[in-house]
Every structure is written in C-alpha cells, then in structure tokens.
Amino acid sequence: MAEREAIVVACAAGELHLQPLAGPCSGCSTGCGGRCDLFRADLAGELRLPEPPGLRLRPGDRVLLSLDDDALRRAAFAGYGHALAGLLLGAVAGHGLALAGGWPHDPLTLAGIVAGTWVALRRARRIVPVPRLRLVSAAAGPTSEERSSR
C-alpha cells in the first residue's frame, strides 16, 4: 500500500486542497523512490481531491493519503494497457491506410504507431486513482462550524 502524508491547505465547495509532504511514499511495493506521480501536485504544489463523505477536515489538519495494491495495479494496467492498445491499433491503421492508398508501408505504419500511442497516452492520463484519506492529526483551534455556532 502506497501512503503519503499531506496537510490540508483549504476546503472549498466539496474539494480539498492538500499539500503533500516532501519525500517518497511509504509502503509502496513498486519501489519508485518518490519518482511516481500517484499523489501528483499541481504547479502550486497542491493536490486537489473530492472531500470524502463523513470526514470533516479543516486547514492545518494532517492526513494520510493511501492507495492499496489493487488500485495501484489497476492504474498500471490502465496506463500500460492504453499505451499498448494505442500502439497496436495505430500500427494496424497506418498499415491499412498504406495498403488502401498504395503508399509505402513502413513510414505510414510508423506514423500510425506514434499517433496511436500519443492519443492513447493522452487518454490514459485522465485515469488517476483517487486515494483514501485518513486523519492523522487535527489542527489546533475550533473548526469553522464551531466558530460560526458561537
């Protein structure tokens, strides 16, 4: 199970803004040493996730993001499977186009491979596993709900 700690930066409109703590994930069986992008932050250094139901978080809370091994395997199969399918379908399409048009086979097959793989990888990027969240430590001070009820 891959795990990484993060700090809640903001909670707005059902979305959490998290800042992953530096360093590699712990407990990951793939051994990437922190080079993967499972818990990918944007350019501002934030990871945005939907707010989990039943878990009230506030800025400053420390959470543990986790992905089990099955979710990691599904993400890997989706990514590599899309790339392989794009490569094969692109090669078949390029070769078929060359046969239909009477053009040289190799350049069009290569162009089909490149185009098919590029399209497949662009689509596979949208498949990102959503990690589970668990509260590690709460921020000091009252929650926004507690402050508004006073």
Side-chain angles (χ1 to χ4, degrees):
M1 178 178 299
E3 297 180 327
R4 188 170 205 177
E5 286 193 30
I7 295 177
V8 177
V9 177
C11 306
E15 186 177 62
L16 292 175
H17 297 245
L18 306 168
Q19 181 179 19
L21 298 179
C25 304
S26 63
C28 183
S29 60
T30 62
C32 68
R35 293 180 300 274
C36 71
D37 61 354
L38 284 174
F39 306 115
R40 177 184 338 164
D42 60 12
L43 294 176
E46 290 184 354
L47 173 67
R48 295 170 191 237
L49 295 173
E51 191 170 3
L55 185 60
R56 291 277 186 216
L57 296 172
R58 61 180 186 234
D61 287 348
R62 196 176 190 126
V63 294
L64 183 67
L65 304 166
S66 63
L67 281 169
D68 62 10
D69 289 338
D70 287 337
L72 292 171
R73 268 191 289 284
R74 282 191 304 274
F77 286 142
Y80 291 117
H82 273 87
L84 180 60
L87 183 141
L88 293 173
L89 291 173
V92 168
H95 187 75
L97 183 63
L99 285 175
W103 297 304
H105 297 214
D106 290 345
L108 284 176
T109 302
L110 177 62
I113 287 171
V114 171
T117 304
W118 182 80
V119 168
L121 288 177
R122 295 279 299 176
R123 294 195 69 186
R125 277 191 170 179
R126 296 183 199 143
I127 302 170
V128 178
V130 178
R132 288 190 312 253
L133 292 172
R134 183 171 50 98
L135 183 64
V136 174
S137 64
T143 65
S144 58
E145 291 176 7
E146 291 168 347
R147 282 191 297 266
S148 65
S149 66
R150 288 183 184 173

